[in-house]
Amino acid sequence: MGWHKGLDPRLHIAAALAWAVFGVVTLAALIAASLAAEQAEQRARADAEGLLAEFATQVRDAVSMSLETRRWLMQATAAQIAVADDHGPASLRRTMIAAQSPFPEFTWLGVADAAGRITAETGSAALGADVSALPWFRQGRLGPFVTDRHAALQPPAAAAASSASAASAGSAGSAGSAGSAGSAALGDGVTPRWIDVAAPLADGGVLVAFLSWTWVEQQVSRMQQALSNNRQVELMLTSRDGTIIVGPPNWLGRELSADRDATEGGAYVIGARTRLRLADNLGLGWTAIVRQRADLALAPARTTRRTVFGIVFAAGLLSAAAAALATRPLTRRLTRLASEAEAVRRGERRTLAVPAGSDEVSRIGATLAQVVDHLQTEKQALQTLNTELDQRVAERTLRIERMAEEARHAAVTRERLRIARDLHDTLAHSLMALLTQIRLVRKLRGRLDAQELDAELGRAESVAITGLADSRAAIAQMRDNGVRISGLGAALQDLTRRFGQRTGIAATLQTDDVLAKSTDERAETVFRIVEEALRNIERHADARAVTVSLRSVADVPQGTSGNGSGNGSGIGGGIGGGIGARRGRVSIEIADDGGGFDPAVPRPGHYGLRGMQEQAGLIDATLQVLSAAGQGTRIAFEVDT
């Protein structure tokens, strides 16, 4: 036996116990690792979110400090302008250039008077422009103001030319030649390109500076580099409405929402700090977001899970091996007993040796030994019985063969009788009629003239033709029985139709759907009885109408009596006197309104009624003929369904 078969739990109890222990320990390892990993992941996520929140705080404070420094510079410059003796444009320009020199991030500075006109600037494109409607001017007159909602500046000449388009372009219209210094275009349509920093002047004017957006991005980039040591974090800034204004390129301009969050469905861990420190007072309302990939942030927790699972899995393997080794001695006696039982099954042994001891193995062995002894006794008795049965089967086989031979002889006899009846019903009748016609011609040939003789010979020829047709039809019926093919109802329908066409007698068939579908031997016999009855009516009854009906006995009134005497109409009167209604049977009736006859009077040479009675006897039916002179004839019988 190969080593792999020794691990098959279907072959060894020790292997089954080892696999059971291994399965239980492995399941426990999975559960323990899952619980430990879940708790470790929760702790790691909380720690990561706390650390990222601290990073976001640092970013928020750094950006706030940088912006506050520029705001203080603007306030200091405004104070310097206020105490200066000369407030002319040239003096104001020199003061603003002196302030701009150490801070190149200020791309443009200007002074607007109390009426909202630019009176001095570091450039020359917006001089004289009307800024009274811009947010930084309106808010800057009230106090220091910082905003990222930048609007365009227009010099006076450009303002007059573009007044027609101001309604559609709004305050964000084209800045004309001032675009390099005062343009508020948002680049890709979302990200602002300048920050407006405004400070009030003593005369009611406003000192304004445009702070480069590139400088803001550089500040964030430097902070991200400082924080990304082995952490691979990403920094984002969102505007007051949640739009990303600084961050990865594929996120710029996207608005954070419930279905579009910065975690990207849990792929990232984030920390956020809302509101820059100067936001509430100066209008920015930015939020700093720091995020890190979840697989990096939660890597320690997942490492813990693998470690726990590996340790418990190894413990499971060791436990399974220990269980197999411990149970091996206990199952050795049971293995020996199983080997002896297999030897008995193969016929190599006749008895089992009962294992010594009083434990379960011994009791099982004793029980199996008793069962084997009993089975051996039963086997011997069964062999004896099989020998007797073989002898009986041989005797019964000979008897069945004799009975089969007798049955074949009976079948041949029945077939001969059926052929005799068919010949009687066709060829015998035709030959009798032809013989009668020939005898009549012989007796009267001396008295008949040539014309009458030809007429009699023509009638004899007609009788011969009819007999030939009937014989051919009978042979065709023997070779190809329509009842077997199309059913009793269809065969009777065709029979009554041909009868009416041939004789001119009104023939009616009444049957139900269930009986019409019969195709067995009984149905074939019923068809032949009806066929013979119609043939007798055609030749002897001189009738005007015939009715053939097949009904279940449930449709026949019980207790009906009568002798068929009636009033001479013959059709529609019950024949019930001789036929009692019984469930599970079918009633067949053929009735005509012909001259009738006395059934008690013997008619030598006529075998039609006898043939019908014989055929009825083949299907365990009793044929009754009810007739009287001048009152028609009814033929009725019943058969089992």
Side-chain angles (χ1 to χ4, degrees), residues 464-618:
I465 292 173
T466 302
L468 179 60
D470 290 343
S471 299
R472 288 176 175 174
I475 293 172
Q477 181 67 24
M478 294 177 191
R479 295 176 61 86
D480 186 14
N481 191 348
V483 177
R484 296 282 187 174
I485 298 174
S486 58
L488 179 60
L492 289 178
Q493 185 69 34
D494 183 66
L495 177 64
T496 55
R497 178 182 57 77
R498 288 189 285 103
F499 174 81
Q501 291 176 351
R502 184 174 66 252
T503 64
I505 300 174
T508 304
L509 174 65
Q510 300 174 353
T511 182
D512 57 29
D513 294 338
V514 177
L515 302 177
K517 296 178 181 178
S518 300
T519 58
D520 57 2
E521 184 178 354
R522 291 175 178 269
E524 183 178 354
T525 304
V526 170
F527 176 83
R528 294 190 181 280
I529 294 174
V530 175
E531 184 181 35
E532 176 63 21
L534 292 179
R535 189 178 291 114
N536 289 339
I537 292 172
E538 177 183 357
R539 293 172 178 171
H540 308 297
D542 192 20
R544 297 184 304 277
V546 175
T547 299
V548 179
S549 64
L550 280 77
R551 299 174 297 175
S552 63
V553 295
D555 297 330
V556 180
Q558 298 193 22
T560 306
S561 62
N563 56 11
S565 58
N567 57 6
S569 63
I571 305 297
I575 61 140
I579 303 175
R582 292 181 296 275
R583 294 186 178 276
R585 293 176 68 81
V586 178
S587 171
I588 299 95
E589 177 182 330
I590 306 99
D592 67 79
D593 60 351
F597 66 97
D598 187 357
V601 177
R603 293 177 178 272
H606 294 274
Y607 302 100
L609 290 177
R610 180 182 298 176
M612 287 189 290
Q613 289 173 347
E614 290 175 353
Q615 292 188 84
L618 293 176

Side-chain angles (χ1 to χ4, degrees), residues 133-298:
L134 298 182
W136 57 262
F137 178 78
R138 295 196 308 269
Q139 296 294 331
R141 296 181 64 188
L142 303 177
F145 180 72
V146 179
T147 180
D148 57 358
R149 298 182 180 181
H150 192 81
L153 296 178
Q154 289 185 345
S162 62
S163 59
S165 60
S168 60
S171 63
S174 172
S177 60
S180 62
S183 174
L186 301 183
D188 58 0
V190 177
T191 304
R193 295 302 177 92
W194 285 274
I195 296 176
D196 298 343
V197 183
L201 297 175
D203 60 357
V206 175
L207 173 65
V208 63
F210 293 164
L211 191 60
S212 171
W213 190 259
T214 303
W215 171 79
V216 177
E217 293 176 340
Q218 290 175 351
Q219 295 291 318
V220 175
S221 178
R222 284 195 295 269
M223 286 183 284
Q224 179 169 336
Q225 292 177 0
L227 295 175
S228 292
N229 294 331
N230 300 324
R231 294 191 180 92
Q232 300 182 15
V233 298
E234 295 181 358
L235 302 186
M236 294 182 180
L237 291 180
T238 65
S239 61
R240 188 185 300 273
D241 60 0
T243 302
I244 303 295
I245 57 177
V246 177
N250 61 323
W251 277 86
L252 290 179
R254 296 171 63 179
E255 183 178 349
L256 296 181
S257 59
D259 57 349
R260 184 182 290 178
D261 62 314
T263 65
E264 297 187 20
Y268 287 85
V269 179
I270 67 169
R273 283 294 182 266
T274 59
R275 304 285 183 177
L276 300 184
R277 288 188 297 179
L278 55 81
D280 292 336
N281 297 326
L282 303 181
L284 283 180
W286 290 355
T287 298
I289 298 177
V290 181
R291 70 175 190 170
Q292 184 181 20
R293 290 188 59 85
D295 54 355
L296 296 176
L298 305 179

